[in-house]
Amino acid sequence: MGSLKTMSGGLLLGLCLTLLGWGAEGQWNGRPKKEISGSGPINLGQQQRGTWWPLMQTRENLTEVKSIKSMFQFRTFDPEGVVFYGDTREGEDWFVLILRNGIPEMQIGKADILVSVQGGPKLNDGKWHLVEISSQGDFVVLEVDGQKGLVVGLKSKETVEVLTGQIRLALGGILVSLDKLLIPFQPEMDGCIQKGNWLNLSTPWETEMIGEPWPCYQNIQPGSYFPGAGLAAFNTTDLPGHQTEESGITIDIHGDSTKMEGTVLSLKTSGQELPTVTVKINNDPKKVILTILKRDTVTEQSFSRLSLTLLKNQVNMDIDDTHLTFEIDNIPDFPRSWKEGMILAFGGLPAITMSPSSYRSSHQPPLTGDGVSYSSIQYLKGCLEKIQVQGQDVDLDRALYKDLSISSHSCPSEV
């Protein structure tokens, strides 16, 4: 194909071209760069929590682009996040493919036009789907498993007669400022890509990922996977349950406890050095340990569902069909404390010396001496298949802090 005549063609090209991008506004953040193939398995979940920075990125001269089509296989249980991005003219014209509620959505910025279109089949079913994106004249076409899922028409009076320069491509993040987006979204994507063909280019991708690339497991199941290296923490003011004085606050955990080890959850009130309530699992021998104000209650059984109900001066715990009630005079009024702000952590015991309201919004581990430590010697290893508060699913991507090792929406599975 000769020179690209319009931006829609060039943009799509870049768009298709890839899955791995350049740094925000074309700049790297300073960490060492590594080259990686764009055709092998790529785990998009290996990303810096809370950032829009691409996991992988590349760029190529437009004169080297000869194809207008890119395709790859994609698998996820995650309902929302960035799949890939492409742009030309250093971000003046750009494209991003995301999922929202599991449905593909394309946002495109070109000259004087900003477009957002959603449609096609849900892709967050945990199955591999063949995704193909192509530029067809003034249209961007998304096909899923051989069927057209989304067609976006785009034509601007401010066309570029002969497009020159470079195409930039990014995976798991975007390269334009957030104020250019038509509709904001949650950037993190717990998903995998494999067998990518990006406009028939062989240019290597570059990444700043920390450590070795995460694997894409052969079999996965819905849930949040904790590999025993970190925790996720919420301020309870960001969770449901602020008007439930009489019925209390209910936290539900679903999963196979025989395949877990460590701290499932902990709850800390402001001003307390240690958590008020913790739930731990020890499978040697098999037991569930509920700790309330340093007082341990050991239940020698496994579970598929554990429920905690927090009332004023009372804690109820249901382990499958077993019901336990604990009334302690000096425990806090949980509904009131919940409304004022507590720290609810999944997967570990945070050591915290400051109130929830004074937490930083950063999703990186705090620096030594700032009053907060997320270190723990009892991190959870295992899969929490479902986490609910007041009957509503909890998305770890929206946590106040989440360790980079945790997969929010998928767990490795034996079948």
Side-chain angles (χ1 to χ4, degrees), residues 239-259:
L239 295 169
H242 309 312
Q243 298 178 349
T244 54
E245 297 285 337
E246 296 182 0
S247 58
I249 309 296
T250 299
I251 304 169
D252 292 310
I253 300 293
H254 298 253
D256 184 352
S257 67
T258 65
K259 298 179 181 178

Side-chain angles (χ1 to χ4, degrees), residues 47-51 186 188 210 224 226-236 238-239 266 342-352 354 356 358-367 370 372-376 379 387 394-408:
Q47 179 55 292
Q48 183 173 327
R49 170 68 177 90
T51 76
Q186 191 77 18
E188 293 88 351
I210 301 173
S224 299
F226 295 77
L231 57 82
F234 290 83
N235 189 327
T236 57
D238 297 327
L239 295 169
S266 60
M342 305 175 75
I343 292 301
L344 175 61
F346 298 99
L349 292 168
I352 304 167
M354 66 196 310
S358 64
Y359 271 29
R360 303 185 308 179
S361 61
S362 169
H363 298 290
Q364 295 304 304
L367 300 175
D370 74 349
V372 182
S373 172
Y374 294 102
S375 62
S376 173
Y379 288 134
I387 305 171
V394 173
D395 185 349
L396 296 188
D397 283 341
R398 301 183 183 277
L400 179 69
Y401 166 84
K402 188 189 81 171
D403 189 81
L404 303 183
S405 66
I406 300 170
S407 297
S408 297

Side-chain angles (χ1 to χ4, degrees), residues 217 223-227 381-384 405-412:
Y217 294 102
S224 299
Y225 182 60
F226 295 77
K381 185 173 183 179
C383 177
L384 302 185
S405 66
I406 300 170
S407 297
S408 297
H409 297 278
S410 67
C411 300

Side-chain angles (χ1 to χ4, degrees), residues 75-326:
R75 182 189 68 181
T76 188
F77 282 115
D78 198 337
E80 185 169 338
V82 180
V83 181
F84 75 99
Y85 165 99
D87 73 28
T88 57
R89 298 202 297 163
E90 295 295 317
E92 291 297 316
D93 297 308
W94 56 271
F95 166 104
V96 63
L97 173 66
I98 71 168
L99 291 190
R100 194 190 301 272
N101 296 321
I103 300 173
E105 177 177 308
M106 290 194 289
Q107 294 193 35
I108 302 174
K110 174 190 173 186
D112 57 334
I113 298 176
L114 190 59
V115 176
S116 178
V117 181
Q118 186 183 59
K122 280 200 170 188
L123 299 183
N124 65 327
D125 57 3
K127 300 177 181 178
W128 285 107
H129 294 280
L130 178 61
V131 178
E132 180 179 307
I133 301 179
S134 61
S135 175
Q136 301 178 16
D138 293 325
F139 296 89
V140 176
V141 179
L142 171 71
E143 294 186 10
V144 177
D145 297 327
Q147 302 294 319
K148 284 187 178 180
L150 199 58
V151 179
V152 182
L154 193 67
K155 190 174 182 65
S156 172
K157 294 180 180 179
E158 300 181 15
T159 58
V160 178
E161 288 300 324
V162 178
L163 195 62
T164 59
Q166 293 186 319
I167 226 176
R168 302 190 304 178
L169 310 164
L171 169 65
I174 64 175
L175 307 179
V176 292
S177 59
L178 303 186
D179 57 11
K180 289 188 177 182
L181 296 174
L182 184 60
I183 306 175
F185 52 85
Q186 191 77 18
E188 293 88 351
M189 170 52 66
D190 178 5
C192 274
I193 287 171
Q194 67 179 11
K195 300 181 181 179
N197 184 325
W198 318 111
L199 305 178
N200 285 331
L201 294 178
S202 57
T203 307
W205 300 92
E206 291 184 312
T207 180
E208 295 178 329
M209 69 175 64
I210 301 173
E212 295 301 313
W214 286 6
C216 287
Y217 294 102
Q218 181 176 355
N219 299 306
I220 59 173
Q221 67 182 63
S224 299
Y225 182 60
F226 295 77
L231 57 82
F234 290 83
N235 189 327
T236 57
T237 59
D238 297 327
L239 295 169
H242 309 312
Q243 298 178 349
T244 54
E245 297 285 337
E246 296 182 0
S247 58
I249 309 296
T250 299
I251 304 169
D252 292 310
I253 300 293
H254 298 253
D256 184 352
S257 67
T258 65
K259 298 179 181 178
M260 303 179 196
E261 189 79 25
T263 303
V264 176
L265 66 85
S266 60
L267 184 64
K268 179 193 172 298
T269 56
S270 178
Q272 294 292 325
E273 187 171 330
L274 296 175
T276 305
V277 176
T278 63
V279 176
K280 302 176 187 177
I281 294 175
N282 186 335
N283 278 307
D284 186 23
K286 175 177 62 180
K287 57 187 176 182
V288 178
I289 305 169
L290 171 66
T291 303
I292 304 175
L293 296 178
K294 300 182 181 181
R295 173 183 171 184
D296 291 346
T297 299
V298 179
T299 303
E300 296 184 354
Q301 68 180 89
S302 58
F303 66 82
S304 59
R305 177 178 177 269
L306 181 147
S307 179
L308 279 184
T309 301
L310 309 172
L311 300 159
K312 182 178 181 180
N313 306 124
Q314 182 177 319
V315 176
N316 297 334
M317 181 170 70
D318 293 277
I319 303 177
D320 290 336
D321 296 328
T322 301
H323 178 77
L324 302 170
T325 297
F326 306 90

